[in-house]
Amino acid sequence: MAAKTLTIDDKHLSAEEGATLLQAAKEAGITLPTLCHLEGIYDVGACRLCLVEVKGLTKLVPACTTRVAEGMEVLTNSERLRKYRRMTLELLFAERNHICAVCVANGHCELQTLAYSLGMDHVRYEYRTPRWGVDHTHRLFGMDHNRCVLCSRCVRACWHVEGAGTKNVSGRGARAHIITDLNQPWGEADSCTACGKCVQACPTGALFHKGATVGEMVRDRHRLEFLVTARQKKEWITD
Amino acid sequence: MTRNDLLQIQERELAARKKITLRCCQAAGCLSSGAKQVKEQLENAVASAGLSDQVEVRGVGCMKLCCEGPLVQADPRNTLYIRVTEANAPSIINALQGGTAEAQQGDPEAAFFKKQLSIVLANSGVVDPDRIESYIAQDGYQALLGVLRDLTPKDAVEVMVKSGLRGRGGAGFPTGLKWGTVAKSTGLKKYVICNADEGDPGAFMDRSVLESDPHCILEGMAIAAYAVGADQGYIYVRAEYPLAITRLQTAIKQAKQLGLLGAGIFESPFHFNIEIRIGAGAFVCGEETALIASVEGKRGTPRPRPPFPAESGLFGCPTLINNVETFANVPPIFRHGAEWFARVGTEKSKGTKVFALAGKVRNTGLVEVPMGTPLRVIAEEMGGGAPAGGRIKAVQTGGPSGGCIPAEHLDTPVDYESLGQLGSIMGSGGMIVMDETTRMVEVARFFMEFCMDESCGKCIPCRAGTVQMHHLLDKIARQQGTRDDLTKLEELCDLVKNTSLCGLGQTAPNPTLSTLRFFRHEYEALLQPETGWHRNEATSPQPTATG
């Protein structure tokens, strides 16, 4: 496979043809903020946090779905991008009810970590404080819609890694939410295999093991990647 | 079906024409004010006057002046009757024999009609949309015949390139280039999709074309399919257009019966089928990648491009997606030639554009004008200006993705570039005229509410950003906003425009941005006086001993 050479943040590097900008950056030790991306499942470019500037393009492009090209000049950390990322996070925090102090994922939450790392120390937009419910009907897991960021990682893990197709998105815009089967309580969703991949995939405290209390919901982020690599390459490698 | 068969149908149809034709609009607008009953009463009146061998009552598509419906036009004298009621029917028939009609008459020579140039709507109001023979009588399907007989697919693409036609869905991408890209994409299976998911508030051009001249779309799609190498087509039409769906179904059935769709069209190896897919009410499904997902039976959400549909579209195959009006331009282009088409319009925007003229304007309805026609001609001369002594304040084009063009820019020619420079877009053709009673902040709030409701929820800036922008606009409109809110609003406009995943989000701030650009004083007049630490000490009341 041919290699492409490109520049990311003034760093010259080479990447495999077909690699995404996110992969190329990671290989070069450049970290990009991501939320809807998870190793092991395909990318959808939805969270817009990994947007980067590419010289010659008027539009910003998501690093997770943009392929490397020869001679590409990429900027990942401009003032403009940092501002957009902070604002996007502010929008997320204002959208539902993210109250870290009482959350099962406190200290292990990707949304929280992103806010710290991107310097989002306050929210200027009005909190919408919507009333979303909690689905506690499953025998092993719970879902708190108040903490969901709609990254759809659980949906993609359910469909494309487990193959069960239990989880889905219903509704539009601010009313969009994750459902199980035909909008039934999770405990009544026949297609669910109780594999827990969605719980491993969740970046926040929206999906959790029953019984977990504040800060106890620690996940194994590499589990899905391990499974997918094992299945596709017949390699059973852990970090 | 051979060439001779087609010409025979045409001859038979023309020979059966009667001396007098009463064209009676049967499109959704006139039907809603009783055009179906008017047509029945006209038929009865013809029969009871014993004129059945001389007078034909023909149900036709949209006759454009929708605000004055139901419309009836008598040929060959070209008498236009407006606001026709069932009771008027006998007197209209009587007038054909020299009597006087009680029905109100319109002026077919008025600027509203005379300034129009009909390419897309040439058959609208002329052919009976329920009868394929009526379309064939107007040289229908001869463009397809000519293409299959005389042109290679490559030639056909070349004709489109030469015509200079640009996509009528709003963005104005060169159609020939799109066809060429799909034609060059490799793949055993290719698709052609007609985007009829017209959803802009106030826009009804595509609906009218589908209701008035469905065969024109089928013929345009068939030519496109031949040019790009596709054998299957889909028309994605919204469920809110039941009449358009019925007429399309009838048209497809008739075309199949005559062998104008299906296998071996005009005894060539070319075969092409069209199916209808009905949208379930999501505005975002007008976005091409969301539309494709919806046709595939998935949730209608957009995905990042590239890959573009031309490369990887429906079921991963190269797919050509064009808008209704774009396809409607195809048969005339092939019938009259690319050079003929390219002579109409401006240097960069060729041909005509259909607008659905609505809002605070005397004449509402469909107007088709050459590209480059000044907005003033459309709104003031054709539209007749604002009613009841009002003055036009602004013209909104492009719906929720477009902007408001203030009265001082009414001399702007309608073409893709000029409208873009004013912060609006050509859009699919909605044109809403606003008079001085219109409050621009409320206009911005209305369109933002629309985008907020229609956001699919996939990407954060559009899903959560439109909610916050709507909240800020609402706050300002209710006179509770501050200068800080206005700053936040502008920042959010910038964010949502530049970071959203698809066109819906990227253009959602446009109505707000354009009203901020031209009517900023209206926003500022609604802001709360500054308080707190921003207080201007010189003008604020001094504290007293009690307060």
Side-chain angles (χ1 to χ4, degrees):
Chain A
M1 192 175 271
K4 304 281 176 191
T5 55
L6 65 158
T7 323
I8 301 184
D9 294 339
D10 296 329
K11 204 168 173 176
H12 291 280
L13 50 104
S14 66
E16 272 181 23
E17 186 178 0
T20 65
L21 287 177
L22 188 64
Q23 288 166 336
K26 193 182 169 194
E27 213 170 286
I30 298 165
T31 316
L32 278 168
T34 57
L35 187 61
C36 65
H37 167 81
L38 184 65
E39 295 297 334
I41 49 177
Y42 69 96
D43 287 306
V44 290
C47 75
R48 318 307 280 172
L49 287 169
C50 72
L51 286 182
V52 293
E53 295 179 30
V54 175
K55 201 175 169 189
L57 292 183
T58 47
K59 282 185 179 173
L60 304 174
V61 294
C64 65
T65 60
T66 307
R67 310 277 157 194
V68 294
E70 188 62 38
M72 223 178 198
E73 289 177 48
V74 184
L75 283 179
T76 71
N77 201 22
S78 65
E79 180 54 44
R80 181 184 178 212
L81 290 173
R82 285 201 299 271
K83 182 184 161 196
Y84 284 163
R85 286 168 189 159
R86 273 198 306 273
M87 287 173 74
T88 305
L89 282 179
E90 282 182 70
L91 287 174
L92 268 184
F93 272 93
E95 188 182 30
R96 293 205 177 179
N97 304 306
H98 298 285
I99 302 154
C100 302
V102 295
C103 179
V104 290
N106 191 10
H108 316 287
C109 169
E110 288 185 33
L111 184 65
Q112 192 181 36
T113 312
L114 280 168
Y116 283 139
S117 63
L118 296 175
M120 192 225 80
D121 47 16
H122 66 292
V123 173
R124 293 165 303 152
Y125 307 120
E126 192 180 88
Y127 284 96
R128 309 304 300 166
T129 54
R131 283 166 182 257
W132 286 101
V134 178
D135 186 343
H136 224 245
T137 56
H138 194 276
R139 69 191 161 87
L140 296 175
F141 316 120
M143 163 100 202
D144 185 348
H145 292 276
N146 293 290
R147 300 171 187 150
C148 177
V149 289
L150 288 170
C151 64
S152 80
R153 275 160 45 164
C154 57
V155 177
R156 283 173 282 153
C158 186
W159 281 81
H160 297 277
V161 184
E162 176 61 6
T166 307
K167 297 227 165 242
N168 240 318
V169 186
S170 174
R172 272 203 305 258
R175 295 176 306 281
H177 60 284
I178 302 294
I179 56 165
T180 36
D181 274 2
L182 297 170
N183 204 10
Q184 293 151 290
W186 197 353
E188 292 170 24
D190 294 339
S191 66
C192 180
T193 59
C195 72
K197 292 188 179 67
C198 55
V199 181
Q200 295 306 329
C202 181
T204 69
L207 291 171
F208 50 87
H209 289 139
K210 263 185 168 173
T213 179
V214 176
E216 287 183 355
M217 196 53 227
V218 186
R219 295 165 218 269
D220 182 357
R221 295 289 182 217
H222 300 290
R223 185 52 63 97
L224 289 174
E225 188 185 7
F226 169 78
L227 286 174
V228 172
T229 312
R231 185 181 300 162
Q232 289 174 353
K233 297 185 184 166
K234 308 283 178 251
E235 290 170 5
W236 282 260
I237 305 165
T238 48
D239 282 340
Chain B
M1 171 68 68
T2 62
R3 178 173 177 270
N4 279 343
D5 296 339
L6 188 74
L7 294 181
Q8 261 177 25
I9 294 173
Q10 183 177 27
E11 275 166 30
R12 263 205 312 272
E13 181 72 12
L14 290 174
R17 290 260 163 102
K18 293 170 187 170
K19 216 170 83 186
I20 297 168
T21 310
L22 281 174
R23 288 181 286 125
C24 188
C25 176
Q26 301 286 296
C30 285
L31 284 179
S32 69
S33 48
K36 186 166 179 270
Q37 292 79 358
V38 166
K39 180 172 172 262
E40 282 164 10
Q41 288 307 317
L42 283 170
E43 280 163 351
N44 290 344
V46 168
S48 48
L51 294 170
S52 298
D53 55 337
Q54 290 180 48
V55 182
E56 178 197 353
V57 178
R58 188 192 307 163
V60 295
C62 182
M63 292 161 73
K64 297 160 196 171
L65 191 56
C66 301
C67 61
E68 302 285 13
L71 300 171
V72 174
Q73 198 152 11
D75 293 336
R77 265 196 279 172
N78 207 19
T79 320
L80 176 69
Y81 298 104
I82 60 173
R83 297 177 188 268
V84 181
T85 62
E86 291 172 63
N88 294 148
S91 77
I92 289 176
I93 304 304
N94 193 23
L96 298 175
Q97 298 165 298
T100 48
E102 284 160 23
Q104 292 183 58
Q105 288 198 15
D107 179 11
E109 301 298 313
F112 181 84
F113 296 107
K114 280 290 136 184
K115 298 261 176 186
Q116 303 220 17
L117 176 67
S118 296
I119 294 176
V120 171
L121 299 178
N123 287 335
S124 178
V126 177
V127 302
D128 180 346
D130 283 329
R131 294 185 61 246
I132 191 171
E133 296 83 2
S134 187
Y135 179 67
I136 292 173
Q138 303 290 329
D139 298 335
Y141 288 103
Q142 290 189 16
L144 177 62
L145 171 71
V147 170
L148 294 181
R149 203 182 45 182
D150 305 328
L151 302 181
T152 64
K154 214 174 163 186
D155 294 337
V157 171
E158 195 52 35
V159 170
M160 284 315 280
V161 173
K162 274 195 192 138
S163 75
L165 177 68
R166 293 169 66 174
R168 297 294 193 245
F173 190 79
T175 308
L177 185 57
K178 204 185 231 182
W179 285 28
T181 315
V182 182
K184 281 179 197 130
S185 293
T186 47
L188 288 175
K189 187 89 181 163
K190 291 182 190 175
Y191 294 98
V192 169
I193 297 180
C194 173
N195 184 348
D197 194 49
E198 178 177 60
D200 288 3
F204 50 91
M205 311 72 54
D206 294 348
R207 188 196 71 205
S208 293
V209 172
L210 295 173
E211 286 174 358
S212 308
D213 199 10
H215 285 287
C216 180
I217 304 301
L218 305 188
E219 189 181 1
M221 286 178 73
I223 293 171
Y226 175 74
V228 303
D231 62 1
Q232 176 67 45
Y234 290 96
I235 302 176
Y236 189 86
V237 54
R238 62 197 302 231
E240 292 88 340
Y241 286 176
L243 183 62
I245 295 168
T246 312
R247 290 196 176 153
L248 278 172
Q249 282 166 338
T250 309
I252 291 173
K253 198 172 142 201
Q254 291 171 344
K256 274 186 183 160
Q257 275 167 355
L258 288 186
L260 294 164
L261 286 176
I265 298 168
F266 286 120
E267 300 186 324
S268 75
F270 174 63
H271 54 106
F272 182 57
N273 276 309
I274 296 179
E275 283 179 45
I276 297 174
R277 287 289 176 273
I278 297 171
F283 177 70
V284 75
C285 285
E287 198 279 341
E288 58 182 13
T289 58
L291 187 152
I292 286 172
S294 181
V295 173
E296 288 173 350
K298 298 177 186 152
R299 180 176 157 85
T301 53
R303 60 158 177 81
R305 299 177 304 180
F308 287 90
E311 194 191 320
S312 173
L314 189 61
F315 304 113
C317 301
T319 303
L320 174 76
I321 297 198
N322 278 146
N323 162 269
V324 170
E325 194 182 330
T326 312
F327 280 124
N329 272 296
V330 173
I333 288 173
F334 282 90
R335 225 166 20 232
H336 304 291
E339 293 76 17
W340 165 85
F341 185 82
R343 276 198 293 273
V344 183
T346 67
E347 196 199 330
K348 285 187 176 170
S349 306
K350 300 293 184 195
T352 59
K353 180 77 195 86
V354 183
F355 289 102
L357 192 59
K360 298 286 178 62
V361 62
R362 277 205 186 86
N363 303 324
T364 57
L366 279 192
V367 294
E368 181 176 4
V369 290
M371 289 280 188
T373 304
L375 278 171
R376 190 182 300 284
V377 171
I378 302 174
E380 290 186 347
E381 289 183 36
M382 304 174 76
R391 274 177 52 196
I392 293 176
K393 179 177 180 177
V395 173
Q396 211 276 347
T397 64
S401 311
C404 295
I405 297 159
E408 63 261 33
H409 288 288
L410 275 189
D411 289 315
T412 307
V414 283
D415 60 63
Y416 293 96
E417 281 73 25
S418 304
L419 294 177
Q421 276 165 16
L422 288 173
S424 188
I425 58 165
M426 173 75 78
S428 58
M431 186 178 280
I432 301 169
V433 180
M434 297 166 180
D435 72 358
E436 282 168 323
T437 61
T438 313
R439 294 185 199 159
M440 299 322 258
V441 181
E442 287 174 17
V443 171
R445 180 177 62 178
F446 168 80
F447 282 115
M448 191 58 77
E449 186 178 359
F450 182 87
C451 291
M452 175 178 79
D453 285 340
E454 295 297 342
S455 166
C456 75
K458 182 170 179 175
C459 78
I460 301 164
C462 176
R463 180 182 77 224
T466 51
V467 170
Q468 293 291 346
M469 289 193 289
H470 177 258
H471 170 68
L472 291 167
L473 283 165
D474 185 55
K475 211 171 152 189
I476 295 171
R478 287 187 289 108
Q479 302 193 22
Q480 287 171 3
T482 61
R483 190 154 294 277
D484 185 43
D485 289 329
L486 191 58
T487 312
K488 273 190 218 164
L489 176 65
E490 291 189 277
E491 271 184 7
L492 280 171
C493 283
D494 176 55
L495 174 83
V496 176
K497 189 183 170 91
N498 288 303
T499 65
S500 292
L501 194 159
C502 82
L504 193 159
Q506 287 162 11
T507 59
N510 281 356
T512 306
L513 286 170
S514 87
T515 48
L516 272 167
R517 176 170 164 189
F518 295 113
F519 302 95
R520 197 182 180 86
H521 54 277
E522 292 194 25
Y523 283 81
E524 304 213 329
L526 291 168
L527 296 183
Q528 288 257 310
E530 291 178 12
T531 53
W533 1 324
H534 299 297
R535 180 161 53 193
N536 182 342
E537 296 297 336
T539 54
S540 53
Q542 294 300 309
T544 60
T546 52

